[in-house]
Amino acid sequence: GAVVSQHPSRVICKSGTSVKIECRSLDFQATTMFWYRQFPKQSLMLMATSNEGSKATYEQGVEKDKFLINHASLTLSTLTVTSAHPEDSSFYICSARDPGQFYNEQFFGPGTRLTVL
Amino acid sequence: DAKTTQPPSMDCAEGRAANLPCNHSTISGNEYVYWYRQIHSQGPQYIIHGLKNNETNEMASLIITEDRKSSTLILPHATLRDTAVYYCIPQGSNYQLIWGAGTKLIIKP
């Protein structure tokens, strides 16, 4: 299947700083990428849908000014957690769909574990 | 979006078939049933999907009832590496996945 990478795999930062997470589709061009957040022992929660060349669509309750998403190319989407606080500590996962595939399965990155001190 | 019901946890002996059920009684006619799994601290992995016919691939088989209100994922010869949380997700054309609690499958030696 298609490969999606994320960088970094884990990051520890101080409260008030900003953190950028990169999501790359390695062997296909992804017109749509998705960002999820997962708290311990919970399921994935969709944060936003990122479309190349246009503004991201955020789910209800997700602050767009706090979670900045940029999808400037067909292989890269970035999520920036601005002014991070301890409650933002979570497992952040991106996924992408390959428009060249007939079906809609999504390919997931390995996730980024964010810890805010 | 259709809601799903899955047992919270299941055990299976290594080498035996693992059968994971899912109820999706409100699924709409154009929604496929997708199955993903998530091994601890990793990103989810696509397993299989189907609309109304049974499907099989190198990872698993998917049995969908004729009324499409439920399905069963079958891992034919479970290994310890199949220990994970398994999610059944109806998905339509908007590509969005709504994740339920899934089934935590534990494969025991």
Side-chain angles (χ1 to χ4, degrees), chain A residues 17-37:
Chain A
T17 60
S18 294
V19 174
K20 180 186 282 189
I21 302 169
E22 294 185 349
C23 177
R24 294 182 185 272
S25 57
L26 297 187
D27 49 2
F28 66 100
Q29 294 183 327
T31 51
T32 304
M33 290 183 171
F34 302 88
W35 286 96
Y36 297 86
R37 178 166 55 180

Side-chain angles (χ1 to χ4, degrees), chain A residues 32 34 36 38 42-46 49 57 59 91 93 97 102-111 113, chain B residues 32 34 36 38-46 49 55 87 91-102:
Chain A
T32 304
F34 302 88
Y36 297 86
Q38 186 176 32
Q42 294 187 22
S43 190
L44 279 75
M45 275 190 345
L46 179 65
T49 302
T57 303
E59 294 300 301
F91 192 47
I93 306 169
R97 53 176 299 275
F102 179 75
Y103 295 111
N104 295 330
E105 65 261 41
Q106 293 182 20
F107 302 98
F108 287 82
R113 182 142 331 262
Chain B
Y32 285 75
Y34 278 75
Y36 290 82
Q38 185 179 26
I39 295 169
H40 182 63
S41 293
Q42 295 184 21
Q45 177 189 21
Y46 164 80
H49 72 278
E55 302 287 345
Y87 297 93
Q91 182 182 342
S93 58
N94 67 356
Y95 314 131
Q96 289 187 348
L97 299 174
I98 306 300
W99 299 75

